[in-house]
């Protein structure tokens, strides 16, 4: 297993729509394992394959105290409600913004089975955030105005 380099803006892979995974084989399983290791190494909640330079529709999410969720070819099927959140991203370091989130996602798990995940709170936010990455969308695209995006200052 490996810790992979996180791609940051303006890397073009972050703006591309990722390709669907057609076959879940050993190389995909290794990629998923490496993504989980990378996400944990940088203390992330989620990581999408494009964030490590791989244009495939794969993402991993780990909510503190919960098991890892692997998303393969996720598709947003329903959005309910709306809440305003502060959000950041490993691929947009040094910034945070205010966005609206709410989501239910239909996905393939890492064994290729169709499952539905209804996310609430942090899980809903992570599901939508990571699915957006697979479509070439970043959270900053959802920020309604420049005053809703701010540069983080390093705390000493």
């Amino acid at each position: 297993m490996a810790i992979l380099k996180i791609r940051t803006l303006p890397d073009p892979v972050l703006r591309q729509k990722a390709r669907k995974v057609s076959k879940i084989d050993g190389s995909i399983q290794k990629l998923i394992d490496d993504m989980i290791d990378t996400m944990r190494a940088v203390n992330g909640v989620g990581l999408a394959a494009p964030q490590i330079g791989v244009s495939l529709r794969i993402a991993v999410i780990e909510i503190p105290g919960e098991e890892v969720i692997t998303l393969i070819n996720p598709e947003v099927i329903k959005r309910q409600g709306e809440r305003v959140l502060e959000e950041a991203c490993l691929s947009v370091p040094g910034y945070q913004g205010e966005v609206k989130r709410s989501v239910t996602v239909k996905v393939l798990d890492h064994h290729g089975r169709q499952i539905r995940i209804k996310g609430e709170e942090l899980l809903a936010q992570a599901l939508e955030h990571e699915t957006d990455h697979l479509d070439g969308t970043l959270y900053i695209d959802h920020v309604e105005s420049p005053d809703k995006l701010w540069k983080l200052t390093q705390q000493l």
Side-chain angles (χ1 to χ4, degrees):
M1 299 198 216
I3 308 298
L4 306 171
K5 180 182 178 211
I6 304 285
R7 303 292 180 97
T8 59
L9 278 180
D11 192 313
V13 73
L14 297 171
R15 293 303 194 170
Q16 298 170 357
K17 185 170 175 117
R19 297 181 323 272
K20 283 192 169 188
V21 174
S22 58
K23 181 180 178 186
I24 302 170
D25 58 14
S27 67
I28 295 297
Q29 293 294 341
K30 181 182 180 332
L31 174 63
I32 290 166
D33 290 341
D34 290 346
M35 289 174 63
I36 292 168
D37 288 344
T38 301
M39 174 183 64
R40 288 176 174 164
V42 296
N43 296 314
V45 170
L47 186 70
Q51 290 182 275
I52 55 163
V54 178
S55 190
L56 288 174
R57 295 188 70 79
I58 301 172
V60 294
I61 295 172
E62 186 173 35
I63 304 299
E66 303 287 330
E67 289 187 28
V68 173
I69 296 171
T70 301
L71 307 172
I72 298 176
N73 301 328
E75 174 188 345
V76 175
I77 58 171
K78 187 176 184 180
R79 299 177 198 269
Q80 281 186 299
E82 184 176 273
R83 59 198 177 104
V84 176
L85 305 162
E86 290 181 3
E87 195 163 303
C89 179
L90 298 169
S91 293
V92 187
Y95 288 88
Q96 188 170 13
E98 189 175 278
V99 297
K100 294 178 182 174
R101 294 284 190 197
S102 179
V103 70
T104 300
V105 179
K106 178 176 103 180
V107 302
L108 293 176
D109 72 5
H110 65 286
H111 298 293
R113 298 181 299 250
Q114 274 199 10
I115 60 173
R116 283 183 190 239
I117 300 173
K118 181 177 181 182
E120 296 178 359
E121 303 297 324
L122 181 57
L123 178 56
Q125 181 180 1
L127 287 167
E128 192 169 13
H129 181 106
E130 300 310 327
T131 302
D132 276 353
H133 270 299
L134 304 179
D135 292 329
T137 302
L138 299 173
Y139 85 94
I140 57 175
D141 300 325
H142 295 293
V143 174
E144 292 180 349
S145 66
D147 65 318
K148 301 290 184 178
L149 179 68
W150 55 92
K151 188 167 181 61
L152 299 173
T153 56
Q154 190 173 26
Q155 302 293 323
L156 297 178

